Amino acid sequence: MKRISRRQFGKGVAAAAAAAYAGVSLPRFAWGQPQPGHVEYPKGFLWGCATASYQVEGGAKDDGRGPSTWDVFSHTAGKTHNGDTGDVADDSYHLYKEDVQLLKNLGVQVYRMSISWSRVFPTGKAPVNPKGLDYYSKVVDELLKNNITPYVTLFHWDTPAGLDGGWTNRDTSKAFGDYAAFMGKHLGDRVKHWMTTNEFVCFTDLGYQVGQFAPGLKLPPAQVNQVRHHGILAHGYGVQALRANTPSGTQVGLAENASVYVPVMETEEHIAAARKATRLMNAPFLTVLMEGKYPAEYLAKEGANAPKVEDGDLEKISSPLDFVGLNVYTPSYVRASDKPEGFELEQAPASYPKMFSPWIQLSPECIYWAVRNVCDLWKPKAIYITENGTSSDDVLTPEGHVEDTDRVMYLRNHLTMLHRAVKEEYPVKGYFLWSLLDNFEWADGYSKRFGIHYVDFKTLKRYPKLSAQWYKQTIAENAVV
Ligand code: PNW
């Protein structure tokens, strides 16, 4: 028989008494089992954490790594919060074994990491830097030794600075294909799950139109469309290169932060509007990948600024995928409309609840609609949530605790809403929490912490937050706690 503490016993008695008083009978359950009302995930659902090379590795100049556009950008005055750079970050380049132990302690089955292209190819193209490959080979081995399956992203924004013109140059897409082929050939015996690229809009629009991310340019629309096209073309080259250079059965996909649309209410017309918005607002990215052509509405809107597409591009771009990875943080609300596009986006009121990063609204239903809109439109074979999480104004107590109750609230509610998608039999296979560790949050530098482990950036010591304990328990019970 399981021993129960006096406190648990007391709670049980109080609940039973309250139920008796209300004239209802309690469902039977045992302490230590998922509690009544908890949402249980199906057996085999995969729990993981995600990170990205430039955000955690550091070792920016170690063992022959070449600079990426993010090294250049973060070292340019005024581009990142406080002038922060990824030179050291979490120093996972040296501390990766410690990080694997953090993963093991959580009980995750899977880990999403990315490869720094310029660590392997310092200029983006041959010659290779064998020490760069060695590092990733060691990380993969360390994960496998600890029974954690690596899910590898080939490109999470750290474009080799040596590639002339970056993503304005079509050659970069081709170079990405060569790099993907090389990684597939050398790690494909052990890595069975690959993502080509992470979040097109962040390295194309934010880098080349808004200027908020590397390389910090503000180009006119025609050039931005071409940059976007080169981004998705790289993905296409990457998929084909991985297929050609890895054993059969290897799973290939991508990680995309498709814009998410939540219907203002769940009626047929608004649900249809959410689908239309998803298709049109993601036109230059996920929509082309899934449909093999730019939507006519998009081409009409862009007119002379539409991207120049060469023969064979669209076939590459729409190469069949084994899974679609969705990075989910925040949605927009949408309603049906008589306008030709059939939908209208809602402006969020100023009072809409937000997390510590002002761009993250607390809208847990977005994770359900992210899955549903994409599946209803394009029926991918499998879906992973490749990122979900939030920043929090974490404070490390003198005892070494971080009570990030807001993050736990955010995660618990997202996982509850994701469960709805699972229950409705959308093919969601796993969930990667962003992030394992506090890390270099791009233009926000170290001012925004997304980890479930707190990192003291002076000592590099890692401390599990309340959210790490919560995630560990959720994984152990395979139910949201
Ligand atoms: C994702 N936005 O980026 C990235 O994949 C991660 O590298 C990043 O750390 C994480 O989310 C948290 O930000 C985004 O402004 C960055 O809308 C910014 C936005 C969206 C995604």
Side-chain angles (χ1 to χ4, degrees):
M1 205 182 109
K2 275 221 168 80
R3 287 167 59 87
I4 58 170
S5 72
R6 274 160 74 111
R7 200 156 143 239
Q8 285 170 331
F9 179 73
K11 272 197 199 155
V13 170
Y21 182 74
V24 295
S25 61
L26 278 174
R28 290 194 310 134
F29 67 93
W31 291 109
Q33 299 293 308
Q35 305 289 297
H38 281 189
V39 295
E40 267 186 80
Y41 274 75
K43 208 165 167 281
F45 188 83
L46 298 171
W47 300 103
C49 288
T51 61
S53 46
Y54 190 68
Q55 294 182 272
V56 299
E57 283 178 5
K61 291 186 177 163
D62 289 22
D63 297 330
R65 178 181 177 275
S68 76
T69 52
W70 267 98
D71 293 276
V72 177
F73 187 73
S74 66
H75 278 272
T76 306
K79 297 300 184 190
T80 64
H81 174 88
N82 201 31
D84 292 344
T85 74
D87 286 1
V88 178
D90 294 324
D91 200 26
S92 293
Y93 187 67
H94 299 105
L95 301 179
Y96 69 91
K97 288 192 180 168
E98 196 178 311
D99 293 342
V100 172
Q101 288 313 304
L102 298 180
L103 290 162
K104 190 173 178 187
N105 176 56
L106 288 170
V108 297
Q109 299 91 358
V110 290
Y111 176 53
R112 175 173 175 242
M113 55 182 270
S114 85
I115 290 178
S116 156
W117 181 351
S118 63
R119 207 182 272 296
V120 182
F121 289 101
T123 63
K125 295 181 182 176
V128 69
N129 171 30
K131 287 188 177 163
L133 174 63
D134 276 0
Y135 169 66
Y136 293 109
S137 188
K138 282 190 297 193
V139 174
V140 164
D141 287 343
E142 187 69 16
L143 288 164
L144 293 173
K145 199 171 92 189
N146 286 280
N147 286 319
I148 299 164
T149 303
Y151 279 56
V152 172
T153 309
L154 286 170
F155 176 66
H156 199 122
W157 311 351
D158 38 4
T159 315
L163 290 172
D164 222 14
W167 293 101
T168 63
N169 188 344
R170 197 183 152 91
D171 282 354
T172 296
S173 318
K174 181 78 178 40
F176 178 77
D178 297 341
Y179 154 64
F182 181 87
M183 296 315 305
K185 207 176 286 173
H186 291 273
L187 295 182
D189 56 335
R190 288 157 289 156
V191 175
K192 304 295 175 192
H193 300 83
W194 297 88
M195 284 143 288
T196 52
T197 48
N198 181 73
E199 302 191 348
F200 292 118
V201 75
C202 289
F203 71 90
T204 59
D205 292 39
L206 293 187
Y208 290 81
Q209 182 177 49
V210 184
Q212 179 194 337
F213 282 1
L217 301 178
K218 292 184 179 170
L219 301 180
Q223 285 184 53
V224 172
N225 281 331
Q226 205 58 39
V227 162
R228 294 166 165 180
H229 184 71
H230 295 156
I232 59 174
L233 182 61
H235 158 82
Y237 273 116
V239 176
Q240 297 203 342
L242 286 168
R243 296 269 183 238
N245 290 281
T246 56
S248 71
T250 301
Q251 305 285 295
V252 179
L254 82 167
E256 176 59 345
N257 62 334
S259 302
V260 182
Y261 297 95
V262 175
V264 286
M265 60 181 98
E266 291 196 19
T267 59
E268 241 344 287
E269 51 164 356
H270 296 303
I271 292 171
R275 267 197 309 274
K276 287 178 195 161
T278 302
R279 182 169 178 274
L280 202 59
M281 303 303 284
N282 293 294
F285 305 122
L286 197 56
T287 306
V288 202
L289 261 63
M290 304 312 278
E291 299 185 2
K293 51 182 191 294
Y294 285 100
E297 303 91 313
Y298 174 76
L299 292 177
K301 186 170 138 267
E302 298 301 319
N305 293 326
K308 290 182 187 47
V309 179
E310 293 188 11
D311 278 356
D313 283 4
L314 293 169
E315 288 72 44
K316 288 187 192 76
I317 288 166
S318 60
S319 305
L321 299 176
D322 300 301
F323 66 89
V324 170
L326 296 172
N327 294 358
V328 180
Y329 291 92
T330 213
S332 302
Y333 287 84
V334 67
R335 58 165 56 253
S337 140
D338 295 336
K339 290 183 175 167
E341 57 271 27
F343 64 89
E344 219 169 312
L345 302 186
E346 295 278 358
Q347 194 65 41
S351 57
Y352 203 96
K354 289 169 196 67
M355 304 307 288
F356 192 47
S357 297
W359 59 274
I360 305 185
Q361 296 176 2
L362 176 63
S363 309
E365 66 270 50
C366 75
I367 201 163
Y368 167 77
W369 284 101
V371 172
R372 178 163 168 185
N373 290 333
V374 165
C375 289
D376 288 356
L377 278 167
W378 299 304
K379 316 228 166 345
K381 284 193 216 148
I383 294 272
Y384 288 92
I385 300 302
T386 33
E387 285 181 25
N388 174 240
T390 185
S391 55
S392 164
D393 192 5
D394 295 320
V395 177
L396 186 68
T397 67
E399 298 77 35
H401 296 169
V402 178
E403 297 299 316
D404 54 342
T405 49
D406 58 341
R407 179 176 288 107
V408 171
M409 175 275 290
Y410 177 98
L411 295 169
R412 181 190 288 129
N413 281 285
H414 277 79
L415 283 180
T416 302
M417 292 309 285
L418 179 63
H419 185 266
R420 177 178 171 197
V422 172
K423 207 170 54 193
E424 292 175 14
E425 296 185 1
Y426 290 102
V428 187
K429 306 294 179 203
Y431 173 90
F432 295 86
L433 198 162
W434 183 273
S435 178
L436 174 66
L437 299 167
D438 293 339
N439 58 49
F440 176 75
E441 176 55 19
W442 308 112
D444 287 333
Y446 297 100
S447 69
K448 292 289 186 292
R449 296 173 175 273
F450 276 78
I452 58 173
H453 293 92
Y454 185 95
V455 177
D456 177 331
F457 290 108
K458 290 201 187 79
T459 61
L460 297 173
K461 191 165 152 49
R462 286 94 158 112
Y463 301 83
K465 302 178 189 176
L466 171 68
S467 53
Q469 291 171 32
W470 170 87
Y471 196 41
K472 180 178 169 130
Q473 186 68 21
T474 291
I475 296 169
E477 295 193 17
N478 205 31
V480 185
V481 298

